[in-house]
Amino acid sequence: MIRLKNLLKESKLIMIREYTPSNPANIDKAIRDIEKLGIRNPINPKEIIIDNSVFVEISNWDKRLWFSSLHSMDRGHGNASRVMQKIVDIADKYNVTIALDAVPFGTGENRMSRSQLVKFYKKFGFAFEDGEEDFGDMERVPK
C-alpha cells in the first residue's frame, strides 16, 4: 500500500478518497444530542453555543458528522477540549464517524496554527484520511 501511494504521488494521479461512512439516521440522532448541550446562536443559527463560550457548527454531510467550525471565545482554559470530549462521546454512542478540515479560524494572537489544530484533534483520535498531513480531511471513527 505504501508503494502504491508513492507511485501515485510520483505519477501525480489523483486518489479517490476513502472514508468511513455512518448511518445517516444515527448522525441525525447525534446532532440532536449535541444540540441539547447548548443553545442556537441567535446571530448565526447554524452554530450551537455550548458552555457559554464554545461555538460549534455541525451537519450531516457525506454520511459523516461534519464539523464546519469549532472555536472557543475563551481560549486556553480547556473549554473546547471539554466540549470536544462530549461530542466524541456522543459520536461513539451512536457509532458515528466525525470529519473535519483543520483550517485555522480567526485572526491575531488567539488564532491557532494548522499544526496546533492538528495536534488538538489528534488528542481526540482524529487522523488524516489518506495519511497525508499536508492536505485532506481529518476523520475520527467511533471507538
Side-chain angles (χ1 to χ4, degrees), residues 20 22-23 26-27 29-31 33-34 65 67 83-99 123-126 139-143:
T20 309
S22 298
N23 180 326
N26 287 354
I27 298 169
K29 290 175 187 176
I31 289 172
D33 277 10
I34 293 166
L65 177 63
F67 266 78
V83 167
M84 180 56 83
Q85 188 59 58
K86 290 176 186 179
I87 291 170
V88 162
D89 291 345
I90 290 169
D92 287 348
K93 174 182 171 183
Y94 291 106
N95 198 36
V96 167
T97 298
I98 306 172
K123 287 189 318 187
F124 297 97
F126 285 84
E139 178 181 82
R140 182 192 180 276
V141 295
K143 305 290 183 220

Side-chain angles (χ1 to χ4, degrees), residues 70 75 101-121 128 138:
L70 169 76
R75 189 167 166 244
D101 189 6
V103 176
F105 176 84
T107 59
E109 64 188 46
N110 287 330
R111 182 175 191 231
M112 292 177 75
S113 68
R114 179 168 165 78
S115 62
Q116 288 172 313
L117 286 171
V118 167
K119 184 178 176 183
F120 173 80
Y121 290 120
F128 284 91
M138 294 185 81

Side-chain angles (χ1 to χ4, degrees), residues 32-96:
R32 283 193 293 276
D33 277 10
I34 293 166
E35 288 173 337
K36 291 176 188 176
L37 296 175
I39 61 167
R40 286 282 171 185
N41 183 346
I43 298 168
N44 179 2
K46 292 180 180 180
E47 286 183 328
I48 304 163
I49 304 171
I50 303 173
D51 293 344
N52 295 319
S53 67
V54 180
F55 294 72
V56 178
E57 190 173 327
I58 54 173
S59 61
N60 181 341
W61 185 76
D62 206 19
K63 295 187 179 179
R64 299 180 290 176
L65 177 63
W66 183 261
F67 266 78
S68 298
S69 68
L70 169 76
H71 61 277
S72 177
M73 297 303 292
D74 194 19
R75 189 167 166 244
H77 297 279
N79 297 329
S81 291
R82 281 189 292 279
V83 167
M84 180 56 83
Q85 188 59 58
K86 290 176 186 179
I87 291 170
V88 162
D89 291 345
I90 290 169
D92 287 348
K93 174 182 171 183
Y94 291 106
N95 198 36
V96 167

